[in-house]
Amino acid sequence: LLIIGVIVLLGLILVSDFYKDRQIKNSEEASQLYQELLISKSSDFKRITGIADDLMNSYPQTPYASRAQILYVKNIIKNDNKSEDITERLEWAAKNSNEPSIQSLAYFYLGLNFLDLGQFESSLKYAEKIQTKGFLAFKYDLMGDIFVKKGDLDNAKVNYEKAIESLSNQGDYARVIEYKLQNI
């Protein structure tokens, strides 16, 4: 029994080491792909799409996969490209990320996307999901924009004031929001 116990213990140690090595290798490969994405030219849309797809499909448990989807969407927005899978990618990133800041960023971009499409209730739903302290100004600014578009200026003012408050009334971003507030 002692020999069998030792053999089982050694087997468990070997399996555990193999699993850890595999995880490290996957993380290294995902990191390398993510680095390639970061240095890719924003005009090389096909390459960026391929890397984002590869990270999402082959390395979904790594933090790089969700981050890659955010970069993919930012590239689409920056270059005024059109893509029908923005919502799917952002929802995937929010659902699969272990990082609250990446989840909040995905919700923010989802809110912006639906605001741009004129779907105010969907935009508001995603804005309300933003919980990370560092993204509260973005949340309230987005909610203010939604309420302005809906014609609810009282709620817009309240949210713009919350955005300014969460920024401690500092910086250029706070001044932009103050300008929005003054123009209501």
Side-chain angles (χ1 to χ4, degrees), residues 157-171:
K157 287 179 184 178
V158 167
N159 280 286
Y160 286 146
E161 288 168 355
K162 286 181 181 179
I164 293 168
E165 182 181 315
S166 67
L167 290 168
S168 302
N169 214 9
Q170 299 174 2

Side-chain angles (χ1 to χ4, degrees), residues 126-177:
Y126 285 112
E128 289 171 345
K129 288 185 176 189
I130 299 170
Q131 299 299 318
T132 308
K133 185 177 180 178
F135 286 89
L136 290 180
F138 294 114
K139 171 184 180 172
Y140 294 124
D141 182 29
L142 175 59
M143 290 175 73
D145 291 347
I146 294 165
F147 286 119
V148 165
K149 295 267 185 168
K150 288 176 70 173
D152 186 350
L153 301 183
D154 291 334
N155 272 329
K157 287 179 184 178
V158 167
N159 280 286
Y160 286 146
E161 288 168 355
K162 286 181 181 179
I164 293 168
E165 182 181 315
S166 67
L167 290 168
S168 302
N169 214 9
Q170 299 174 2
D172 293 335
Y173 188 45
R175 284 191 280 282
V176 169
I177 299 170

Side-chain angles (χ1 to χ4, degrees), residues 50-95:
I51 293 172
D53 288 345
D54 195 18
L55 282 165
M56 184 169 60
N57 296 324
S58 300
Y59 307 97
Q61 289 82 21
T62 66
Y64 304 108
S66 295
R67 292 177 189 173
Q69 304 320 304
I70 301 292
L71 286 176
Y72 169 84
V73 169
K74 285 175 70 173
N75 186 55
I76 287 173
I77 293 169
K78 178 181 176 185
N79 292 309
D80 293 325
N81 291 329
K82 299 294 179 198
S83 178
E84 296 176 6
D85 65 345
I86 287 177
T87 301
E88 292 171 18
R89 287 179 185 269
L90 290 172
E91 286 176 343
W92 186 92
K95 179 182 174 188

Side-chain angles (χ1 to χ4, degrees), residues 2-27:
L2 182 62
I3 294 172
I4 292 173
V6 170
I7 291 172
V8 169
L9 182 62
L10 288 175
L12 289 174
I13 291 172
L14 289 174
V15 168
S16 175
D17 285 346
F18 175 76
Y19 179 72
K20 287 178 185 177
D21 287 342
R22 185 72 184 133
Q23 281 185 315
I24 291 170
K25 184 179 178 197
N26 276 346
S27 290

Side-chain angles (χ1 to χ4, degrees), residues 18-55:
F18 175 76
Y19 179 72
K20 287 178 185 177
D21 287 342
R22 185 72 184 133
Q23 281 185 315
I24 291 170
K25 184 179 178 197
N26 276 346
S27 290
E28 289 172 350
E29 291 171 359
S31 175
Q32 185 175 357
L33 277 173
Y34 187 72
Q35 293 300 319
E36 288 178 30
L37 179 67
L38 289 174
I39 61 172
S40 295
K41 292 182 180 178
S42 62
S43 60
D44 194 355
F45 188 68
K46 188 175 181 179
R47 179 172 171 76
I48 290 171
T49 302
I51 293 172
D53 288 345
D54 195 18
L55 282 165

